[in-house]
Amino acid sequence: MNRRFERVAVVGAGLVGAGWAIVFARAGQSVSIYDAQPAIRASVMDWIRDSLNEMERCGLTRDVPSILARITVSDSLEDAVAEADYVQESVFERVDVKHRISLAIGAAIRADAIVGSSSSGIPASEFTGDVQRRERFIIAHPVNPPHLIPLVELVPSPWTDPSIAPLLRDFMESVGQKPIVLSREINGFVLNRLQGALLNEAWALFDAGVASAADIDRTVSEGLGMRWSFMGPFETIDLNAPGGVADYAERLGPLYHSIAMDRRHPAQWHPDLIERVAAERRQALPLEDLASRCDWRDKMLMMLAAHRTMNQSDDSEDA
Amino acid sequence: MNRRFERVAVVGAGLVGAGWAIVFARAGQSVSIYDAQPAIRASVMDWIRDSLNEMERCGLTRDVPSILARITVSDSLEDAVAEADYVQESVFERVDVKHRISLAIGAAIRADAIVGSSSSGIPASEFTGDVQRRERFIIAHPVNPPHLIPLVELVPSPWTDPSIAPLLRDFMESVGQKPIVLSREINGFVLNRLQGALLNEAWALFDAGVASAADIDRTVSEGLGMRWSFMGPFETIDLNAPGGVADYAERLGPLYHSIAMDRRHPAQWHPDLIERVAAERRQALPLEDLASRCDWRDKMLMMLAAHRTMNQSDDSEDA
């Protein structure tokens, strides 16, 4: 890295922001956290401590006190970001909210700071057009929670300085995240476009009565998802034909094209369909058990992250 | 289960058939294997022994000698299937090959036997129409390798006896697989339709220059795939909104619909595109390293299977 990052500011300290604070602090960065709500400022360190302790029990971190010592909570946005090399903004996902905070951040940062927004779908061009130092802003979209799922999508706006994406990519790698860089803004970015394509097919199959939601879920959780937890869709098919991806594409491309042709007239997820999917889900998991199932999911993610740490995927081909 | 399965025949002993033999034998079934090629008949037990030994080293099996003792290789198809309660057919995926073997199997089985084909895409109606006892035939499509990835798609043909799918579902559960049941034949079944939807979007994003194949892969392997390795797409979104899937669908349905609308004119994976994807893959992984990367994948799957066994997913909501 030809530029040193040492101080990070986290703006917005909900679950996403607090997870980011863990990411940066465990990598050795000094982290200052700001949230507009005093109640969140008062409680975020407890949440971070609890999470780090649980991660330590799973073998995912050590020396929790040192990590905690690198994090401070700031009562003012300006104080939090003034000296930061990098600002990770994770406020509520609505254009007006993103716009307001970006105006404040742009006015308070150093000229050479970089600002990444955790926006999962709103592109930076929709809220940074009239922001000071708008060329320093970019999307840095994590998957929730960022301290357990390493992917980060970097999406430059049309006016983002072209040097920023490669710089931030290096920085994200250096703190243990797995960044990707999009060449330009696109609706849904890459992650939600891939998820959406699979979801749209899942909803259509359910709507057509081909299989239950539970069986469609099982197809992924007991089938496709196992491979996809350590290799992507291109590598998966590359390894699924003796001659690699070209061989695979030649043989199976027509099948996949015919599947796409079946979906040329995409339907909305209409209210009746949503009701039927929701009815099956609520039968499987009553709404009052949703929160505890989320805890289960986070525990599963933590154990999977620990498994991945112990059995490092040989990433060398990506070098 | 209101019907006992004790004897299984495996017809076709390539990687898929041999994996199936492990599935059934480790669950206590007596397994007879037949393959038309004498060389495969001569070597399959060595492959099975090696695989079981490696599984034992990963903590996935124990008492390998007992498992091996339950497997015999038969020199005749008729001998292999004559007494079988269940026949798993895994011959080469071509209609004429499937048809020929199904004729032979149909003529040799007991009247109450069930025959499942490992076909990954050809529906049973295309090769069982004139087969004896065709009402006993169904698709039982595994993911490769079946002894490490538990999903099985059961797809009845129009003339499959309606009692077969539920019976086979119970049997597959009892041997530790995770079956799903399709209500009818559909192009690509469920698994390859879901995979295809994601693949089609991946190819389109690459074609548009939005991201590299490596970055698209990373979006799945370091992001989406982690959750999908233990819960499906419906449960994932159900847990991603305070009010569950209905809440999520109301808020994000329009985004996903707009993504589908972008793909109303699906392009083939055209030769130039295939060449560019293949060029990037061959840069990352030369063709001569493909085989060793496949070994890596199988090792990763084995370690993931061991991780899943040790940290049993709480499947209770599926009960």
Side-chain angles (χ1 to χ4, degrees), chain B residues 83-289:
Chain B
E83 296 303 316
D85 302 301
Y86 178 63
V87 179
Q88 182 75 43
E89 170 270 299
S90 309
V91 302
F92 190 66
E93 181 121 350
R94 221 174 59 202
V95 171
D96 60 327
V97 181
K98 294 276 189 204
H99 180 226
R100 205 165 45 231
I101 200 79
S102 298
L103 284 172
I105 293 171
I109 52 172
R110 292 201 328 250
D112 63 345
I114 293 174
V115 184
S117 169
S118 297
S119 167
S120 68
I122 308 173
S125 61
E126 287 190 23
F127 58 86
T128 63
D130 61 351
V131 160
Q132 272 185 68
R133 312 200 192 285
R134 65 178 194 171
E135 73 284 358
R136 309 302 299 171
F137 284 69
I138 191 169
I139 299 296
H141 169 223
V143 190
N144 203 12
H147 57 293
L148 297 178
I149 305 186
L151 186 89
V152 186
E153 292 187 278
L154 305 181
V155 190
S157 77
W159 45 78
T160 302
D161 185 316
S163 72
I164 299 236
L167 210 55
L168 190 51
R169 180 173 194 138
D170 284 351
F171 174 56
M172 287 290 175
E173 291 275 2
S174 77
V175 299
Q177 299 303 93
K178 300 288 185 178
I180 69 162
V181 177
L182 277 64
S183 63
R184 61 176 182 275
E185 294 180 343
I186 181 175
N187 189 23
F189 308 153
V190 166
L191 183 126
N192 279 325
R193 291 192 78 88
L194 293 175
Q195 174 167 240
L198 187 135
L199 278 173
N200 282 327
E201 183 62 30
W203 284 81
L205 287 168
F206 179 91
D207 200 16
V210 172
S212 66
D215 276 4
I216 292 168
D217 266 0
R218 195 173 239 204
T219 308
V220 174
S221 63
E222 305 289 342
L224 291 166
M226 286 184 66
R227 293 187 298 214
W228 285 343
S229 71
F230 62 87
M231 60 184 184
F234 284 116
E235 180 163 16
T236 297
I237 63 175
D238 195 34
L239 301 185
N240 250 348
V245 66
D247 181 9
Y248 184 97
E250 222 166 283
R251 286 196 272 146
L252 287 162
L255 166 70
Y256 291 121
H257 183 63
S258 72
I259 288 173
M261 293 297 278
D262 289 345
R263 302 298 184 207
R264 268 173 307 165
H265 308 289
Q268 301 262 10
W269 301 353
H270 54 87
D272 165 63
L273 172 62
I274 293 173
E275 203 175 303
R276 285 185 290 130
V277 169
E280 193 191 317
R281 284 298 308 159
R282 295 292 68 81
Q283 184 79 22
L285 182 74
L287 206 56
E288 60 267 31
D289 297 341

Side-chain angles (χ1 to χ4, degrees), chain A residues 222 235 238 293 308, chain B residues 222 235 238 282 293 308:
Chain A
E222 304 289 342
E235 181 164 14
D238 196 35
R293 189 74 177 171
R308 285 160 53 109
Chain B
E222 305 289 342
E235 180 163 16
D238 195 34
R282 295 292 68 81
R293 190 74 176 170
R308 286 160 52 109

